[in-house]
């Protein structure tokens, strides 16, 4: 298994609305439907309560990094 390192990225305060145009520190929010929510969405059911959750990524200047909370900062 690959080891991971904790990177510090200062947030810019901007939310990107596209994965393809972003600046260093931008946050991108996106939806991740669970199996039932994805099935309902594909069937175009009229339901405003699709099940699932949101994820966020932060742009480090080269690629998007998954935003994770609760990690202990490096000393």
């Amino acid at each position: 298994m690959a080891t991971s390192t904790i990177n510090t990225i200062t947030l810019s305060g901007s939310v990107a609305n596209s994965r393809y145009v972003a600046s260093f520190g931008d946050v991108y929010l996106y939806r991740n439907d669970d199996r039932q929510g994805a099935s309902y969405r594909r069937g175009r059911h009229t339901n405003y309560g699709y099940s699932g959750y949101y994820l966020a990524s932060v742009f480090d200047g080269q690629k998007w990094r998954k935003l994770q909370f609760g990690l202990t900062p490096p000393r």
Side-chain angles (χ1 to χ4, degrees):
M1 181 159 70
T3 60
S4 65
T5 59
I6 299 173
N7 297 322
T8 302
I9 302 172
T10 303
L11 299 179
S12 67
S14 297
V15 177
N17 59 2
S18 170
R19 293 185 305 155
Y20 306 107
V21 180
S23 300
F24 181 84
D26 285 358
V27 176
Y28 179 62
L29 300 172
Y30 51 99
R31 176 181 61 237
N32 189 5
D33 295 331
D34 63 6
R35 183 178 296 174
Q36 183 179 14
S39 173
Y40 288 155
R41 193 177 303 281
R42 277 193 303 272
R44 298 183 189 263
H45 297 280
T46 305
N47 177 1
Y48 297 109
Y50 295 113
S51 53
Y53 51 93
Y54 281 89
L55 296 171
S57 293
V58 179
F59 192 65
D60 72 356
Q62 295 180 353
K63 65 180 185 177
W64 290 100
R65 304 285 183 143
K66 184 176 179 181
L67 181 61
Q68 297 180 349
F69 293 101
L71 298 175
T72 305
R75 294 180 182 241

